[in-house]
Amino acid sequence: VQYSDNQEYREQDSLSLAFSTDTSASERKPTEQVAVPVVLSLAVMVSYLCGGAILFGEWEGWDFLDGFYFCFITLTTIGFGDLLPGDAVDQDDDEEKFGG
C-alpha cells in the first residue's frame, strides 16, 4: 500500500505493531484519533486531587495540604505510608460495637 503522506504511514505502522494481527495491510481499517485538550485533562486531575483533599480533611481531620499530599502520593502509586486514613477513628468505639 502506497501512502501519500509519510506521517500517516508511520502512524498506521506503529498501530499495527501495538495491535499485531494476521490481517494484511489492505484489510486494515483507518483509525480514528480523538483529541483531548491538555487544559481539560489537567483541570480534571487537579479537581480530583482537590476534591480528595477536601474529603479527607473532613473525614480524617487533616488540613488541606495533608489531604492533597495523601491523594497525590496515593494516586501516583508512590505510597510512602506516612499518612494513613483511619488514624483519626476511635478504636474504642469499634470494640464496644463488637462486644470486645
Side-chain angles (χ1 to χ4, degrees):
V1 175
Q2 293 290 334
Y3 290 101
S4 60
D5 185 14
N6 195 18
Q7 177 69 23
E8 182 181 349
Y9 175 75
R10 281 185 276 158
E11 289 174 359
Q12 186 73 19
D13 191 43
S14 65
L15 183 65
S16 67
L17 291 176
F19 302 103
S20 60
T21 60
D22 295 330
T23 60
S24 68
S26 62
E27 295 174 1
R28 292 186 193 139
K29 296 179 182 177
T31 59
E32 244 182 83
Q33 291 185 350
V34 178
V36 178
V38 174
V39 174
L40 177 64
S41 299
L42 290 174
V44 167
M45 288 182 352
V46 168
S47 65
Y48 198 79
L49 291 170
C50 290
I54 292 169
L55 286 176
F56 278 110
E58 291 294 318
W59 293 339
E60 297 295 325
W62 297 343
D63 60 357
F64 180 79
L65 287 177
D66 285 339
F68 190 89
Y69 169 78
F70 174 77
C71 289
F72 178 79
I73 294 299
T74 302
L75 293 174
T76 56
T77 67
I78 295 172
F80 290 128
D82 51 350
L83 284 176
L84 298 173
D87 287 344
V89 176
D90 190 9
Q91 296 294 329
D92 294 334
D93 290 341
D94 290 339
E95 290 176 3
E96 290 175 9
K97 289 179 187 175
F98 294 115

